[in-house]
Amino acid sequence: MRHIQRTLRKPLLDASASFKVVMLTGPRQVGKTTLLQDAEKHARTYVTLDDLGTRLAAQQDPASFLARLELPVLIDEVQYAPNLFPYIKMAVDKAKQPGLFCLTGSQQFDLMKNVTESLAGRVAILQLQGISLAEEQGRPDDPPFLPTLALLKARQKTAQPLRLRDVYHKIWRGTYPDIVAQANDKNWELFYRSYVSTYIQRDVRDFLNINNTAAFHKFMQVAAARTGQLINYADMARDVGVSEVTLKTWLNVLHASGIIYLLPPYFNNRGKRLIKTPKLYCNRPFQPVILFVVT
């Protein structure tokens, strides 16, 4: 499995040198922990709250949990212990040193609320998505893409041309590091099937207390079938067989966790942008997930 340099590496190092806390968010399996561990040369203690014993210790006695850690530290999946944040604030205020805490989180349902309330002014928040084409082709330092003529001409000098068949292959394969970095992608169907099941069972069901996972699975199918279209809540709720209130709640969860993106319409009047109906899009790393759910 080949190593892929990420574009976010330099901004991450700059943030760690300037802020007391760095928070890296993003969907599961996009390489958050790998990026943090690869980006920094010095040793950093690593703990993950995916481990049930570690999670329980952080939840029950956050002060003692942090006191036992050797700084600097990387705390993975920090959303499982939101009561850590006030103690992290006290620790960084006392130490007054940048880069002491690196945090990752893949559930953003309540995570950002806890971060902004407890660590305002102390935390740099970065978001990681799947492997970009520039990263895959070994061009992680390319500037962000903008549809300008000058940038398109500059990209022609470094980008590797793709056949139409290769373009569709990359779209269908997706952008998860575990798939992109493999010499072959024969196991992508199993990967995405497992991802959908894990997402529903591990994250969404626990957060929303959903007992009927089949209904939520159908909801994901209905949402996927409407990618690129204006959201019609009544129509979607009717197809899924749930109330509009429930449907809006489920859409908000997909949006908060990076599964979908709600694109507001463009108007010169900013008020219209806020009140007019947005379009629903599957985020790029998740497009194969949704496509697989639909098929």
Side-chain angles (χ1 to χ4, degrees):
M1 183 175 292
R2 64 191 179 97
H3 178 71
I4 298 177
Q5 289 284 349
R6 305 303 301 269
T7 299
L8 205 59
R9 182 180 183 276
K10 187 178 184 303
L12 179 65
L13 291 173
D14 292 342
S16 183
S18 303
F19 288 82
K20 299 174 182 178
V21 182
V22 175
M23 179 76 205
L24 185 61
T25 68
R28 289 189 179 276
Q29 302 295 317
V30 293
K32 299 183 295 296
T33 304
T34 301
L35 172 60
L36 284 167
Q37 292 176 328
D38 288 349
E40 298 178 313
K41 300 297 183 183
H42 61 273
R44 182 181 288 273
T45 307
Y46 172 74
V47 294
T48 175
L49 300 191
D50 266 334
D51 180 85
L52 294 180
T54 304
R55 184 190 309 180
L56 189 62
Q59 291 172 340
Q60 292 183 342
D61 193 352
S64 298
F65 175 80
L66 287 182
R68 293 193 298 269
L69 297 179
E70 182 179 351
L71 302 181
V73 64
L74 164 57
I75 303 178
D76 205 5
E77 302 298 350
V78 71
Q79 74 274 356
Y80 289 125
N83 49 351
L84 280 177
F85 291 111
Y87 294 93
I88 293 175
K89 173 186 175 182
M90 289 187 286
V92 298
D93 286 349
K94 181 179 179 180
K96 297 181 180 180
Q97 179 182 342
L100 287 179
F101 286 86
C102 283
L103 312 174
T104 77
S106 53
Q107 287 184 14
Q108 298 188 52
F109 311 132
D110 287 331
L111 175 63
M112 300 315 299
K113 176 183 176 182
N114 293 316
V115 170
T116 54
E117 287 180 352
S118 300
L119 299 175
R122 302 165 179 84
V123 60
I125 301 174
L126 304 174
Q127 186 174 38
L128 184 67
Q129 294 291 338
I131 302 291
S132 69
L133 182 60
E135 290 171 334
E136 185 180 352
Q137 294 182 348
R139 300 179 284 109
D141 296 326
D142 276 6
F145 177 78
L146 293 173
T148 63
L149 183 59
L151 182 59
L152 290 173
K153 288 183 176 180
R155 287 286 179 93
Q156 287 181 337
K157 300 177 182 178
T158 58
Q160 302 171 20
L162 296 174
R163 298 175 301 171
L164 183 61
R165 180 177 179 178
D166 295 331
V167 172
Y168 278 104
H169 174 77
K170 291 182 183 298
I171 291 173
W172 189 253
R173 177 207 60 191
T175 60
Y176 284 96
D178 284 348
I179 298 296
V180 175
Q182 288 182 0
N184 60 73
D185 48 18
K186 293 181 180 179
N187 294 322
W188 69 267
E189 291 190 30
L190 177 60
F191 176 87
Y192 288 121
R193 187 192 305 275
S194 303
Y195 191 101
V196 171
S197 298
T198 302
Y199 174 74
I200 294 174
Q201 295 173 6
R202 183 177 182 178
D203 291 341
V204 176
R205 185 174 63 182
D206 291 344
F207 180 76
L208 291 176
N209 194 25
I210 294 176
N211 294 320
N212 187 359
T213 55
F216 191 83
H217 196 279
K218 182 178 180 181
F219 155 71
M220 292 183 69
Q221 292 177 309
V222 170
R226 286 164 172 74
T227 187
Q229 299 180 18
L230 294 173
I231 296 179
N232 186 322
Y233 296 106
D235 185 52
M236 291 180 67
R238 183 176 62 252
D239 289 350
V240 178
V242 297
S243 68
E244 282 193 48
V245 174
T246 297
L247 183 100
K248 289 179 180 180
T249 300
W250 289 0
L251 277 173
N252 287 336
V253 169
L254 288 188
H255 184 258
S257 54
I259 295 290
I260 65 171
Y261 178 76
L262 302 180
L263 179 68
Y266 178 77
F267 289 97
N268 290 330
N269 185 320
R270 290 183 178 270
K272 287 186 176 181
R273 298 184 201 177
L274 298 175
I275 62 175
K276 294 294 184 178
T277 303
K279 284 187 176 182
L280 184 154
Y281 287 93
C282 300
N283 267 349
R284 183 170 56 89
F286 287 95
Q287 190 170 9
V289 176
I290 302 299
L291 286 172
F292 185 71
V293 173
V294 172
T295 56

